[in-house]
């Protein structure tokens, strides 16, 4: 590999890969797996092959704390459907999440829980240190803010116990909570439209309470600079900087044009501002302020005068603490005690505590360093965070600013944001009207590798794409010409399943190339590698395919990488068909064709390994190599014979395993075979 450095992308010496944190009140649905975990696993597996498994940490875990978990637990216990503790409740979901991830071959080094052993003490300690550090550097501000209070239940309400409409202009979410909506927009509680207590169904009051906030607006210039850097980084997708820059704007209030006279009557009482008239067919004019505090004062004036308005996006202080019981304890600072950490900020630094846990729990020598700083702070390390587009504000606005504030030398992470993965062309969520299929139940119809290949091919880096498995399509039907009866598409065996498009490559093309090699070697080579080397032309094609794959994956274009491998493998199959037939009774020509096929098979298995590991590892096993040797990119450009020689073997004597009759490296799901 050392001689092949021309135009090769650079990879870090060490890498952390993260895959978000599912809430501890739900099991995983297809969006969790297909939209985040499978792409993250693909990249983590590729990096292990590329830079060595000892240099990669793939971490995730259950987000154990916060009001969604409290609310889910409360409802179940009040209904008599659950009798354990809240920790038992979270542990149950955590175990289900881990089982689903294992079923899909998600190769996490650790799947922890922020409130579960063994990560709990690491996370609590880091949270305490983190908040004290933010206070020490002056980035933490105490604010007396308003919190919803249910006068009938006589209790303060946590974030998920209040529901209303999002106040952010342009947002149509009807599922907004105390200070954020389900689309990720942030706002102050007093801005929530039509709040309703989920405990009693009454309108709650707003009462003051003290909490700590991170001074996010103070880091606007640092974020602008970072966005310029990310714009130039081919690994950061355009959706990230576009979304972040929507918040890097001046604080604005929008007012309907018909309320212009009402606004003019109180404009003199507002802080210094600039009015921007409505343009074209715009229904509102805007009022711009110097900072969020001036805008807040203006809101008070407008509310007092009963002038309706909506706010725009901008940087606001980022809440760090809250008043709910189920959370990481916040340290007592400046006389303020009894607070817990809001689940969102502590989930941002949770991957660090998970890395600390994994390193502490590991045996010596498993990882190249057991010091977490070498993974998060070193110049030759890099952190790749796989997220959905809904979470860009937290991971790409709040997190980078906190990293900057901490002064610990934390390197800015590389966000890998995917667009929404839809279900039947609609956005689905476990808490919404359209319920997505759960990850576990999909395996009643498809194999994990069929789904992994399909999801990776959806091009979620470029746009929102629908996952439309035929077995769930009850929306399309037609009238049978013979019987006159309505037939659902999901019941018609003649209709192609969109979720199986990539499966045809695995179960037909890839399988066929592998079987041709092994059955051919048993016939002509006495179950050994072909005694001759592949042709120079084929070796060069393998080299070009490997280097192109490396460049494409480095650029985070996973669907493009897999499409290129499929094209390469189809061409290899065609070449084998033509050459083996042309060989006729010429044994030497047949073996030469077989050598070309083995070289192509080795390349295909190497490149497809991050996507469909189980089948590719079978290829390595039957070819007589260990997984470590076969998939290491130290030998990426070697043919099978060259690999054997590099490992100190006599290539002419390298034995392969005999393939059983009708063997499949990639099987269909049992339900897909004709009965």
């Amino acid at each position: 590999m050392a001689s092949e450095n021309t135009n090769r992308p650079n990879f870090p010496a060490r890498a952390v890969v993260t895959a978000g944190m599912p809430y501890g009140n739900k099991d995983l649905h297809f969006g969790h797996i297909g939209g985040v975990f499978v792409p993250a696993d693909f990249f983590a597996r590729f990096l292990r092959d590329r830079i060595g498994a000892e240099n990669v940490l793939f971490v995730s875990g259950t987000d154990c704390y916060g009001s969604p978990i409290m609310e889910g637990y409360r409802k179940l216990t009040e209904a008599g459907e659950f009798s354990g503790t809240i920790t038992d409740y979270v542990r149950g979901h955590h175990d289900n999440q881990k089982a689903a991830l294992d079923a899909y071959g998600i190769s996490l080094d650790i799947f922890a829980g922020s409130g579960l052993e063994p990560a709990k003490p690491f996370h609590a300690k880091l949270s305490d240190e983190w908040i004290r550090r933010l206070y020490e550097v002056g980035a933490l501000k105490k604010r007396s803010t308003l919190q919803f209070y249910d006068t009938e239940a006589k209790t303060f309400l946590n974030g998920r116990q209040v529901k209303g409409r999002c106040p952010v202009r342009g947002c149509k979410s009807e599922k907004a909570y105390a200070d954020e909506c389900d689309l990720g927009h942030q706002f102050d509680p007093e801005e929530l439209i039509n709040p309703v207590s989920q405990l009693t169904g009454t309108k709650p009051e707003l009462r003051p309470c003290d909490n700590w906030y991170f001074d996010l607006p103070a880091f606007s210039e640092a974020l602008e600079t970072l966005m310029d850097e990310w714009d130039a980084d081919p690994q950061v997708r355009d959706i990230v900087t576009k979304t972040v820059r929507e918040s890097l704007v001046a604080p604005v209030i929008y007012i309907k044009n018909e309320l212009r006279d009402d606004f003019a009557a109180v404009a003199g009482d507002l802080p210094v501002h600039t009015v921007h008239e409505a343009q074209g067919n715009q229904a509102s004019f805007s009022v711009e302020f110097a900072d969020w505090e001036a805008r807040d004062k203006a809101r008070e004036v407008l509310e007092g005068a009963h002038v309706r308005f909506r706010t725009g996006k901008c940087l606001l202080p980022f809440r760090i603490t809250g008043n709910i019981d189920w959370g990481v304890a916040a340290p007592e600072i400046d006389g303020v005690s009894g607070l817990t950490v809001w689940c969102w900020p502590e989930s941002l630094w949770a991957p660090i505590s998970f890395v600390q846990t994994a390193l502490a729990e590991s045996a010596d020598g498993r990882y190249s360093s057991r010091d977490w700083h070498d993974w998060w702070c070193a110049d030759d390390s890099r952190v790749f965070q796989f997220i959905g587009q809904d979470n860009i504000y937290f991971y790409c606005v709040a997190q980078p600013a906190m990293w900057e504030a901490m002064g610990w030398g934390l390197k800015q992470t590389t966000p890998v944001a995917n667009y929404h993965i839809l279900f039947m062309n609609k956005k689905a969520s476990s808490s919404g009207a359209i319920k997505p299929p759960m990850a576990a139940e999909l395996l009643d119809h498809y194999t994990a590798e069929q789904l992994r290949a399909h999801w990776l091919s959806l091009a979620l880096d470029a746009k929102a794409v629908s996952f439309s498995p035929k077995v769930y399509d009850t929306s399309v039907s037609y009238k049978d010409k013979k019987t006159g009866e309505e037939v659902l598409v999901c019941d018609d065996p003649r209709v192609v399943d969109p979720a199986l498009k990539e499966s045809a490559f695995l179960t037909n093309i890839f399988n066929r190339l592998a079987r041709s090699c092994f059955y051919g070697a048993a016939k002509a080579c006495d179950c050994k590698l072909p005694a001759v080397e592949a042709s120079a032309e084929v070796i060069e094609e393998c080299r070009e395919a490997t280097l192109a794959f490396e460049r494409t994956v480095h650029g985070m274009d996973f669907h493009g990488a897999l499409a290129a491998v499929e094209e390469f493998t189809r061409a290899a199959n065609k070449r084998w068909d033509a050459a083996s037939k042309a060989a006729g009774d010429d044994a030497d020509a047949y073996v030469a064709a077989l050598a070309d096929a083995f070289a192509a098979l080795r390349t295909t298995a190497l490149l497809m390994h991050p996507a469909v590991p189980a089948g590719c590892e079978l290829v390595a096993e039957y070819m007589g190599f260990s997984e470590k040797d076969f998939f290491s990119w130290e030998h990426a450009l070697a043919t099978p014979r060259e690999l054997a020689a590099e490992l100190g073997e006599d290539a002419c004597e390298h034995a392969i395993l005999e393939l059983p009759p009708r063997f499949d490296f990639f099987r269909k799901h049992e339900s897909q075979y004709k009965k």
Side-chain angles (χ1 to χ4, degrees):
M1 293 290 290
S3 62
E4 298 290 344
N5 290 326
T6 306
N7 297 322
R8 300 283 295 276
N10 293 318
F11 290 91
R14 294 185 188 87
V16 176
V17 179
T18 77
M21 290 180 65
Y23 276 134
N25 64 338
K26 60 184 69 176
D27 295 344
L28 300 182
H29 59 65
F30 85 94
H32 295 121
I33 300 288
V36 177
F37 277 101
V38 165
D41 185 67
F42 175 89
F43 193 62
R45 286 179 179 275
F46 168 78
L47 285 176
R48 290 191 188 106
D49 292 346
R50 182 63 182 81
I51 66 175
E54 71 279 8
N55 297 313
V56 179
L57 269 166
F58 181 21
V59 303
S60 182
T62 302
D63 193 352
C64 296
Y65 296 113
S67 56
I69 288 88
M70 282 185 67
E71 191 63 5
Y73 174 71
R74 179 188 68 81
K75 289 179 178 178
L76 283 181
T77 53
E78 288 183 357
E81 298 176 17
F82 191 82
S83 59
T85 66
I86 192 168
T87 302
D88 296 333
Y89 172 71
V90 171
R91 170 64 72 179
H93 285 294
H94 171 82
D95 291 345
N96 290 343
Q97 292 168 359
K98 179 67 165 62
L101 293 168
D102 289 344
Y104 281 90
I106 307 301
S107 59
L108 287 155
D109 289 275
I110 185 171
F111 184 69
S114 54
L116 302 172
E117 297 291 344
K120 181 178 179 178
F122 290 92
H123 189 62
K125 182 175 183 291
L126 179 62
S127 297
D128 185 275
E129 293 171 342
W130 196 280
I131 293 172
R132 292 183 189 277
R133 176 61 178 170
L134 289 178
Y135 180 77
E136 177 185 306
V137 299
L140 209 59
K141 307 294 183 183
K142 182 170 63 177
R143 293 182 65 201
S144 180
T145 57
L146 298 175
Q147 185 169 333
F148 286 109
Y149 184 86
D150 189 317
T151 56
E152 185 174 314
K154 294 182 173 55
T155 184
F156 278 104
L157 300 172
N158 65 53
R160 293 300 174 106
Q161 289 176 331
V162 183
K163 194 177 292 185
R165 286 175 51 214
C166 180
V168 174
R169 180 177 181 265
C171 182
K172 298 180 180 179
S173 174
E174 297 287 340
K175 189 178 290 185
Y177 306 106
D179 51 13
E180 65 169 326
C181 76
D182 62 339
L183 298 180
H185 298 136
Q186 303 290 295
F187 46 83
D188 288 327
E190 56 265 38
E191 296 181 81
L192 182 64
I193 299 171
N194 297 330
V196 177
S197 168
Q198 299 304 289
L199 296 185
T200 62
T202 61
K203 182 176 181 179
E205 291 182 355
L206 284 165
R207 296 188 178 182
C209 58
D210 288 341
N211 269 297
W212 292 105
Y213 285 74
F214 171 62
D215 190 5
L216 181 56
F219 293 87
S220 60
E221 289 187 12
L223 289 171
E224 287 279 10
T225 300
L226 180 61
M227 291 311 103
D228 291 340
E229 294 174 5
W230 280 354
D231 276 335
D233 188 339
Q235 292 186 308
V236 178
R237 293 164 178 169
D238 291 343
I239 187 177
V240 171
T241 53
K242 177 181 179 294
T243 302
V244 172
R245 284 198 165 97
E246 291 175 355
S247 294
L248 301 182
V249 295
V252 170
I253 284 175
Y254 296 91
I255 302 173
K256 293 283 189 181
N257 293 331
E258 60 262 29
L259 300 177
R260 185 56 186 270
D261 290 343
D262 295 335
F263 167 76
V266 297
D269 298 327
L270 301 179
V272 175
H273 59 274
T274 302
V275 175
H276 299 284
E277 301 296 344
Q279 300 295 314
N281 295 324
Q282 290 179 342
S284 303
F285 64 94
S286 61
V287 187
E288 179 181 324
F289 298 90
D291 53 44
W292 67 271
E293 292 170 298
R295 190 185 72 174
D296 272 11
K297 292 176 182 176
R299 282 176 33 211
E300 294 176 7
V301 173
L302 294 171
E303 287 168 353
H306 304 292
V307 178
R308 297 192 309 277
F309 62 87
R310 297 196 82 172
T311 54
K313 297 178 184 178
C314 71
L315 295 183
L316 293 171
F318 186 61
R319 182 159 65 90
I320 298 294
T321 62
N323 305 80
I324 68 173
D325 295 330
W326 181 241
V328 182
E332 179 178 346
I333 299 177
D334 196 21
V336 180
S337 62
L339 300 178
T340 52
V341 186
W342 184 36
C343 63
W344 255 116
E346 51 103 348
S347 72
L348 297 178
W349 60 71
I352 299 177
S353 65
F354 293 166
V355 165
Q356 292 173 338
T357 307
L359 295 175
E361 296 277 309
S362 66
D364 286 338
R366 178 177 177 183
Y367 300 112
S368 57
S369 172
R370 296 183 72 176
D371 183 345
W372 73 268
H373 296 86
D374 289 338
W375 298 84
W376 285 88
C377 305
D379 289 337
D380 60 354
S381 65
R382 200 158 186 185
V383 179
F384 300 89
Q385 293 191 296
F386 284 74
I387 60 175
Q389 70 179 97
D390 285 353
N391 293 333
I392 288 176
Y393 183 87
F394 297 103
Y395 285 96
C396 306
V397 178
Q399 180 186 315
M402 280 202 296
W403 261 228
E404 182 77 15
M406 289 295 288
W408 281 359
L410 293 163
K411 299 300 177 185
Q412 291 294 353
T413 62
T414 300
V416 187
N418 276 341
Y419 282 85
H420 294 302
I421 180 170
L422 307 174
F423 178 59
M424 298 298 179
N425 290 307
K426 295 180 180 178
K427 189 177 180 184
S429 71
S430 52
S431 57
I434 301 173
K435 304 296 182 185
M438 303 308 290
E441 73 182 50
L442 279 171
L443 296 178
D444 292 336
H445 309 283
Y446 306 95
T447 69
E449 299 214 319
Q450 286 177 329
L451 291 171
R452 285 175 64 101
H454 179 61
W455 286 329
L456 286 167
S457 299
L458 288 181
L460 293 172
D461 60 305
K463 60 182 179 180
V465 182
S466 180
F467 173 55
S468 302
K470 174 188 164 185
V471 293
Y472 288 87
D473 193 354
T474 58
S475 63
V476 179
S477 63
Y478 65 92
K479 184 170 289 188
D480 188 282
K481 293 181 179 179
K482 293 183 178 179
T483 65
E485 297 179 353
E486 286 293 319
V487 179
L488 290 173
V489 164
C490 60
D491 295 328
D492 187 344
R494 297 169 298 177
V495 176
V496 176
D497 189 338
L500 291 177
K501 178 177 179 294
E502 292 72 27
S503 175
F505 165 64
L506 297 177
T507 58
N508 295 335
I509 308 303
F510 198 167
N511 260 340
R512 185 181 177 192
L513 179 62
R515 285 195 295 257
S516 297
C517 287
F518 289 106
Y519 291 141
K523 167 186 171 183
C525 305
D526 194 25
C527 281
K528 293 189 173 92
L529 287 177
V532 297
E533 186 54 275
S535 65
E537 178 186 0
V538 168
I539 291 175
E540 179 60 21
E541 287 179 6
C542 292
R543 175 184 177 279
E544 290 178 357
T546 301
L547 297 182
F549 181 87
E550 180 186 53
R551 288 192 301 271
T552 309
V553 173
H554 181 271
M556 301 297 174
D557 178 7
F558 302 160
H559 70 284
L562 295 188
V565 178
E566 180 173 342
E567 182 180 352
F568 167 83
T569 311
R570 288 180 181 276
N573 254 329
K574 289 181 180 179
R575 180 173 55 243
W576 161 254
D577 285 345
S580 59
K581 289 176 182 176
D585 295 329
D586 187 336
D588 291 340
Y590 184 86
V591 170
L594 201 57
D596 285 347
F598 262 103
L601 175 63
R602 194 275 156 131
T603 296
T604 297
L606 171 73
L607 303 187
M608 289 298 293
H609 182 233
V612 285
C616 294
E617 287 164 9
L618 270 178
V619 171
E621 177 185 347
Y622 273 87
M623 209 178 287
F625 294 105
S626 71
E627 291 176 20
K628 182 179 179 180
D629 292 332
F630 191 89
F631 296 112
S632 170
W633 276 61
E634 287 296 316
H635 312 291
L637 302 180
T639 65
R641 285 179 57 83
E642 289 171 337
L643 177 58
E646 288 176 13
L647 296 175
E649 299 180 41
D650 182 346
C652 293
E653 295 300 319
H654 180 87
I656 62 176
L657 298 182
E658 185 173 358
L659 205 63
R662 302 178 62 82
F663 185 83
D664 282 329
F665 289 91
F666 298 94
R667 284 186 57 80
K668 299 178 182 180
H669 190 273
E670 293 304 319
S671 66
Q672 296 161 13
Y673 289 99
K674 293 181 179 180
K675 299 295 186 288

